[in-house]
Amino acid sequence: MAGLEETLVLVKPDGVARNLTGEILSRIEAKGYQLVDIRMVEPNRDLLSAHYAEHEGKPFFDPLVNFMESGPVVAMRIAGHAAIAGVRSLCGATDPTAAAPGTIRGDLGRDWGLAVQQNLIHASDSLESSSRELALWFGPLLSPPRRRRLPPPPPPTRPRTTR
Ligand code: IDP
Ligand code: MG
C-alpha cells in the first residue's frame, strides 16, 4: 500500500475561463481523492516563476508565465494514498492532442495553435514538488492541512406508526 500523500492541483486559466473547474474537481473526487483545501488565486509573476523554476530558459517559459497570469487559477490541495501519481494519471499527457481519451487533457483539451499548450490542469509530479508547490500556493501558516472526517450516517428513520 502506498503512503498517504498530498498533491497540488491547479485549474489553469483556460479551465477556469471555460467553466471546467467543477468537471475537473469532480473527476478527482470521483476517483476517490479528497479535497482538503481550495482557493481561487490571481498569481503574480514571482509566484509563477518560482512554481515553474525548472522550465526557466525554455522557449515556452515566457508564454507559459503570461498564460498562467492571464486570469484566475483555482488551486487545490488533494489528498489520498498515491495521490501524486494518481492525479497525474487522471491528467493525461502534457500535450492535449496526444493525451489519451478518458483523461482530463485528452477529453477536454486541444491544440489552439498557441505558443504554449493550454492543457487545463497542473498536478505535482513528485513528493518533492508537491511539498514545494503546496508551500508556494497555500503557505504553511495560511492553511495548515486539515483532514476532513466523513459526516456520521443519518439516524435510522423510524417507521411511522399509524393509530
Ligand atoms: P506537465 O504540466 O505535464 O508537468 P511540464 O513539462 O512540466 O508539463 O510543462 C509545464 C507546462 O508548460 C505544461 O503543462 C504546458 O502548459 C507547457 N508546456 C510544456 N511543454 C511545452 C511545449 O513543448 N510547448 C508549449 N508548451 C509547453
Ligand atoms: Mg510539470
Side-chain angles (χ1 to χ4, degrees):
M1 188 183 69
L4 183 59
E5 297 171 347
E6 289 194 335
T7 188
L8 174 80
V9 168
L10 301 176
V11 179
K12 295 183 177 184
D14 56 335
V16 175
R18 291 177 56 202
N19 294 330
L20 291 172
T21 304
E23 166 77 27
I24 290 170
L25 174 57
S26 149
R27 287 173 178 231
I28 293 168
E29 287 193 314
K31 176 84 174 169
Y33 299 124
Q34 191 177 69
L35 176 66
V36 179
D37 206 347
I38 183 167
R39 61 192 299 225
M40 186 175 268
V41 190
E42 299 223 18
N44 62 25
R45 290 191 87 78
D46 287 349
L47 172 57
L48 293 168
S49 301
H51 175 77
Y52 281 125
E54 64 175 306
H55 297 304
E56 219 169 325
K58 295 184 186 167
F60 62 84
F61 181 78
D62 282 338
L64 175 60
V65 171
N66 292 340
F67 160 54
M68 292 296 292
E69 215 186 6
S70 67
V73 164
V74 173
M76 303 173 192
R77 183 191 289 272
I78 300 291
H81 291 276
I84 297 171
V87 174
R88 289 285 291 186
S89 166
L90 288 178
C91 290
T94 305
D95 175 357
T97 303
T103 65
I104 291 166
R105 288 162 169 173
D107 286 349
L108 310 172
R110 55 161 282 198
D111 185 341
W112 299 98
L114 302 169
V116 67
Q117 284 157 347
Q118 299 207 347
N119 55 8
L120 303 159
I121 181 168
H122 165 86
S124 309
D125 63 7
S126 64
L127 211 49
E128 198 186 17
S129 333
S130 69
S131 37
R132 191 182 72 84
E133 293 171 0
L134 283 166
L136 279 174
W137 291 83
F138 285 95
L141 296 175
L142 189 71
S143 175
R146 289 185 293 271
R147 294 271 177 280
R148 195 167 41 120
R149 290 220 190 106
L150 290 175
T157 47
R158 236 177 258 164
R160 234 190 240 167
T161 50
T162 47
R163 269 185 240 177

